[in-house]
Amino acid sequence: MNTILVVGAAGYIGSHTLRDLKERKYNTVALDNLSEGHLEALCGGVLENIDLADTEGLNNIFKKYNIDAVMHFAAYAYVGESVINPRKYYQNNVLCTFNLLNAMLENNVHNIVFSSTCAIYGNPVYTPIDEKHPQSPVNPYGNTKYIIEKMLADYKKAYGLKYIALRYFNAAGARESAEIGESHNTETHLIPLVLQTLTGKKQCIDIFGDDYDTPDGTCIRDYIHVNDLADAHRLAVEHLMNNKGSEVINLGTGKGHSVKEIISVCESVAGKRAPYKVTARREGDPASLVASNCVARDLLGWEPKYTDIKDIIRTAWNWERNRKY
Ligand code: UFG
């Protein structure tokens, strides 16, 4: 049985993927520096608490375990913060990934599944967005992921690295059991914020602009369930292990929902009203981001199981009411 090193295993998407791999009896090694992740998200599992800046520590992990493939979730991912403090993002996202790739090569590990983002596309020139869409990120966070994708392609050519870069659209939801879920130290994402308005933790939700060129004037996003992302990671690592080629792959449902629609679905799931007010647009928000997911379906045999936004929000609500961290 192959062993997978899960980097950023205590974060939102990393922890859901780790649980899925463990349930399917994969050998896994969980690595996280807990700067953004939560120990509780590992549900008692063993953690290698290493920072990717620690090249010696990282190298020791590869010596200690017989790693066959890496899943790399670890990154800072607040778009707004990346504009204010790009140094933090280049340091953590780019340099730490550079260290990780080099440690892999030094230890003869050649397979990596990398967490990329739809932020790589910038403002869409057509929709749904497929993988051939021009790439023109509009913020430092997107730039860091763009640079890493270039690094992966260059390492592939020069050193035979094999990779799959998964470009997520908007991750949402939680495990059905609600034992783990979305928990950011500073929450900026729409669905958890609306749900926190419904639990009373937050007074009112701000809608960032209602004058976009969309049917109701609010921004449209493609919300993809975190378990569907976990499925895609497992299929991607299998793809690499079966000696198939490197790929970049979008992960979204292919359906878009506006901010107002999300608020209304949250209200219907919770059975109460969420107070909201319309405020100014948030800088760097494209009007609409919806994925074409044909490549994921064709190459990985993946398909999203959560195709109804109500189901996605139901799992997020279940988590929000029973949060453990
Ligand atoms: N929004 C609000 N009010 C809020 C929060 C968000 O109206 O309080 C709106 C945003 O303007 C946006 C939509 O809700 O239109 C979704 O916003 P999120 O912050 O939940 O998600 P983003 O689309 O900004 O971010 C996601 C990922 C990022 C990734 C980005 C790519 O979380 O990691 O997509 O565009 F970089």
Side-chain angles (χ1 to χ4, degrees):
M1 180 56 109
N2 295 312
T3 299
I4 301 167
L5 177 64
V6 181
V7 179
Y12 173 38
I13 303 165
S15 62
H16 282 76
T17 305
L18 181 72
R19 292 289 289 169
D20 174 68
L21 292 171
K22 282 181 157 181
E23 278 178 7
R24 291 168 193 271
K25 310 287 177 218
Y26 283 78
N27 293 327
T28 55
V29 177
L31 188 152
D32 204 295
N33 66 358
L34 297 181
S35 72
E36 291 285 329
H38 304 270
L39 196 53
E40 298 93 323
L42 298 175
C43 302
V46 179
L47 172 70
E48 291 288 355
N49 188 339
I50 303 274
D51 193 301
L52 298 184
D54 171 9
T55 48
E56 199 184 323
L58 191 54
N59 213 23
N60 288 339
I61 294 294
F62 282 97
K63 301 265 179 277
K64 182 170 167 187
Y65 302 98
N66 200 6
I67 308 288
D68 298 286
V70 174
M71 289 184 182
H72 178 28
F73 298 93
Y76 291 139
Y78 298 115
V79 171
E81 182 187 56
S82 79
V83 176
I84 295 162
N85 192 1
R87 181 176 174 171
K88 177 174 172 181
Y89 279 71
Y90 285 99
Q91 173 79 42
N92 187 59
N93 296 3
V94 178
L95 291 184
C96 287
T97 302
F98 176 71
N99 290 344
L100 176 63
L101 296 184
N102 293 338
M104 286 175 63
L105 293 182
E106 274 161 35
N107 292 281
N108 223 12
V109 178
H110 284 92
N111 300 312
I112 181 166
V113 180
F114 171 66
S115 300
S116 190
T117 171
C118 64
I120 239 170
Y121 298 115
N123 287 312
V125 292
Y126 61 82
T127 188
I129 299 170
D130 59 24
E131 290 79 356
K132 294 192 175 70
H133 186 284
Q135 293 166 32
S136 183
V138 291
N139 54 60
Y141 166 69
N143 283 334
T144 64
K145 295 284 181 173
Y146 176 84
I147 291 167
I148 296 166
E149 281 202 18
K150 294 288 174 212
M151 202 152 62
L152 290 168
D154 289 339
Y155 273 45
K156 174 193 155 194
K157 264 190 229 144
Y159 312 124
L161 186 82
K162 294 196 307 161
Y163 70 92
I164 294 192
L166 296 174
R167 294 177 179 161
Y168 314 155
F169 281 63
N170 287 54
R175 268 177 88 85
E176 292 286 347
S177 61
E179 71 207 303
I180 54 175
E182 183 168 14
S183 178
H184 296 109
N185 295 334
T186 314
E187 193 50 79
T188 61
H189 295 101
L190 180 66
I191 293 175
L193 288 176
V194 176
L195 297 178
Q196 285 170 19
T197 309
L198 289 161
T199 59
K201 190 169 168 190
K202 203 178 143 51
Q203 295 258 299
C204 176
I205 183 82
D206 291 339
I207 295 181
F208 297 146
D210 66 352
D211 56 351
Y212 285 94
D213 185 16
T214 60
D216 68 16
T218 66
C219 287
I220 291 174
R221 294 288 180 274
D222 182 335
Y223 295 89
I224 166 100
H225 196 278
V226 64
N227 286 352
D228 284 325
L229 293 179
D231 277 348
H233 281 80
R234 192 184 65 254
L235 294 167
V237 91
E238 290 294 344
H239 178 100
L240 292 174
M241 301 292 203
N242 291 331
N243 280 319
K244 296 181 187 161
S246 297
E247 307 287 350
V248 291
I249 300 177
N250 282 345
L251 291 178
T253 62
K255 282 200 231 169
H257 296 282
S258 74
V259 174
K260 281 192 175 163
E261 274 180 79
I262 294 295
I263 295 175
S264 147
V265 175
C266 288
E267 288 178 332
S268 109
V269 166
K272 43 186 152 170
R273 303 307 296 263
Y276 68 79
K277 62 177 187 309
V278 177
T279 61
R281 288 182 177 198
R282 186 173 68 178
E283 203 192 324
D285 270 342
S288 174
L289 291 171
V290 178
S292 158
N293 60 20
C294 299
V295 173
R297 289 173 186 270
D298 291 350
L299 284 178
L300 299 181
W302 173 85
E303 67 177 318
K305 296 195 178 75
Y306 289 81
T307 51
D308 183 343
I309 189 66
K310 201 166 180 177
D311 260 344
I312 298 179
I313 291 178
R314 176 183 53 74
T315 65
W317 176 235
N318 198 18
W319 159 252
E320 195 57 55
R321 284 180 306 158
N322 299 290
R323 258 173 186 280
K324 292 169 189 67
Y325 54 90

